[in-house]
Every structure is written in C-alpha cells, then in structure tokens.
Amino acid sequence: MQFRIDRRSGVTAHMQIVRQTKQAMRMGVLSVGSRLPTAREVVAATAINPNTVHKAYRELEQEGLVESRRGAGTFVVRSLSRPEAAAGSALGEELREWLRGAHAAGLDQDDVSALFTALTEERYGGPTPAPRPERGAPAPARGVAAPRETNDTQRTSTEDAG
C-alpha cells in the first residue's frame, strides 16, 4: 500500500493516512495480518514528518484496527471489509455502470463527488462529522472556530501568496 498526500486538500496528512488505510481495509486491499508500510517507507514516499505517520498509526491502533509490534511493524488486526462493498461485487458493478453513465452525460470527477456527497449526506443524515479532538484537548468554545492543523512543513510567503 502506498499513501498519497494531497497538501492542497485542507485535510491534515495524518488524517489522510487514516482515511486511506481505512479505505484500503474496506476494499480488501489490507486484511487481517497485513503489514502497513513503516514510517520510514511512508516518509520516503511522501516527504512528510515521521511523527505524522506515527500519529496516524496511533489513531488506528486506538480504534482497534491495527497493532504495533516492536521491531516487526504495524499490522492490521481487524477487518473493515464487507463482501457486498467490494469493487467486484454486484453493488460495485452497479456503481461502475452508473459512473459510465455519469461520464457519458458529461459529469466530471468533481461533479460526481459533489453529487455523491450530497446524496450520501441526505441518506445518512448530514455531513461526515469532523474528527474529535484528542483526549485531554480542550473543546473549542461555542461560536469560535478551532485552530486549523497545519501541514508538517512550514509554508513560505510565496506559497501562501500563490
């Protein structure tokens, strides 16, 4: 498994790792016993801070999805896979056919994502909740935006301007 970090997404790198890992688990790419890439491997592939990888793996471990074994790595200990949600399942094939139709109708990926998100929120009751603050962290005051997490690298003034 290889992680892809989109620095422009507005989603922290550690949360992208958590989400991508869970998606791989749901799709059956990672199953019980699978070893996650080492922090060193992720850092080499994505140029993010090793602490970011460790934070993501700790979060997955706290959720009971993976287990860190000293000297051996981090391993999946619980499955999120459902056969009916696999890409090759009947539902996956229906979705693939629907996507062909959406493409033929001229919808691009952003259009499909927006439509899917709107209908998912309608069906399941609202947007995906924001990640909960870490244990012991104070909750933001009502009406006050919580500070945004920053990427692992400092932005320069030219990056901020452009």
Side-chain angles (χ1 to χ4, degrees):
M1 161 165 205
Q2 207 167 36
F3 296 107
R4 292 174 312 283
I5 304 300
D6 181 357
R7 292 174 181 0
R8 291 184 246 152
S9 73
V11 177
T12 62
H14 104 273
M15 188 53 61
Q16 289 182 52
I17 291 171
V18 169
R19 288 179 180 173
Q20 289 175 31
T21 302
K22 288 180 178 180
Q23 182 177 359
M25 293 170 75
R26 283 187 177 94
M27 300 306 296
V29 173
L30 291 174
S31 57
V32 173
S34 295
R35 184 180 154 278
L36 296 182
T38 65
R40 183 174 291 171
E41 291 167 341
V42 177
V43 168
T46 62
I48 61 173
N49 188 305
N51 292 330
T52 300
V53 181
H54 294 297
K55 181 177 180 180
Y57 285 10
R58 269 193 318 271
E59 186 170 323
L60 291 163
E61 192 164 14
Q62 288 172 346
E63 291 183 32
L65 299 174
V66 302
E67 174 183 86
S68 178
R69 300 178 191 152
R70 187 169 282 308
T74 303
F75 295 86
V76 174
V77 294
R78 194 178 83 181
S79 176
L80 294 178
S81 178
R82 292 184 175 179
E84 58 275 2
S89 69
L91 286 174
E93 289 304 317
E94 285 180 40
L95 183 55
R96 185 173 279 114
E97 188 58 37
W98 183 87
L99 287 169
R100 281 188 202 104
H103 181 73
L107 297 179
D108 65 15
Q109 186 173 354
D110 290 337
D111 297 328
V112 169
S113 292
L115 178 59
F116 183 80
T117 298
L119 294 175
T120 301
E121 289 174 0
E122 177 184 302
R123 173 66 179 100
Y124 293 101
T128 303
R132 292 179 286 173
E134 291 187 27
R135 290 186 181 128
R142 283 177 98 56
V144 177
R148 283 186 48 190
E149 291 187 42
T150 59
N151 284 344
D152 296 315
T153 55
Q154 296 270 334
R155 291 185 180 199
T156 63
S157 58
T158 56
E159 288 175 322
D160 289 338

